[in-house]
């Protein structure tokens, strides 16, 4: 149905944060809340691991942007030609963060 990847930062000065590196839901399983459930699971696991700040990027204008915004993530910018699609076309990506605790 889907998968989500969470990676803690390997840098000494950023042990408090992690990154959602991939959130994918099979096209036949979309629009049923699976993305939100996977994202919530990753957020719980990150919190349990002591992380209090998560970051991610996604294609600008994608349905995923709406998911992240409605799940409490904050969009903080975009970069043109950041990632390539399977056919090699470069796409603009938006960047998001979410605090898992009230204060860092």
């Amino acid at each position: 149905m889907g998968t989500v990847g969470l990676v803690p930062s390997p840098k000494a000065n950023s042990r408090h944060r992690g990154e959602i590196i991939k959130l994918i839901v099979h096209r036949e399983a979309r629009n049923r809340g699976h993305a939100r459930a996977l994202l919530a699971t990753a957020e719980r696991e990150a919190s349990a691991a002591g992380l209090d700040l998560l970051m991610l990027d996604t294609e600008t204008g994608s349905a995923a942007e709406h998911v992240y915004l409605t799940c409490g993530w904050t969009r903080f910018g975009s970069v043109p030609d950041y990632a390539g699609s399977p056919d090699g076309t470069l796409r603009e990506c938006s960047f998001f963060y979410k605090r898992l605790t009230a204060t860092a």
Side-chain angles (χ1 to χ4, degrees):
M1 166 248 349
T3 186
V4 64
L6 169 66
V7 176
S9 176
K11 298 177 183 178
N13 68 346
S14 58
R15 291 187 195 120
H16 65 290
R17 74 175 188 242
E19 182 178 0
I20 301 293
I21 57 167
K22 190 58 69 177
L23 173 59
I24 301 172
V25 174
H26 191 278
R27 71 178 54 96
E28 293 178 14
R30 292 181 185 161
N31 299 312
R32 297 182 192 158
H34 298 308
R36 285 175 174 73
L38 288 166
L39 191 56
T41 298
E43 292 171 6
R44 280 192 306 275
E45 291 299 316
S47 186
L51 303 177
D52 63 18
L53 177 66
L54 292 179
M55 301 181 71
L56 61 81
D57 67 83
T58 193
E59 185 178 332
T60 302
S62 68
E65 273 194 309
H66 177 73
V67 171
Y68 299 130
L69 288 169
T70 59
C71 287
W73 288 71
T74 301
R75 184 179 184 271
F76 67 91
S78 64
V79 176
D81 298 338
Y82 186 77
S85 63
D87 69 2
T89 304
L90 296 178
R91 305 284 185 184
E92 179 178 351
C93 286
S94 296
F95 291 81
F96 290 82
Y97 73 89
K98 185 173 187 179
R99 288 214 176 270
L100 303 177
T101 56
T103 58

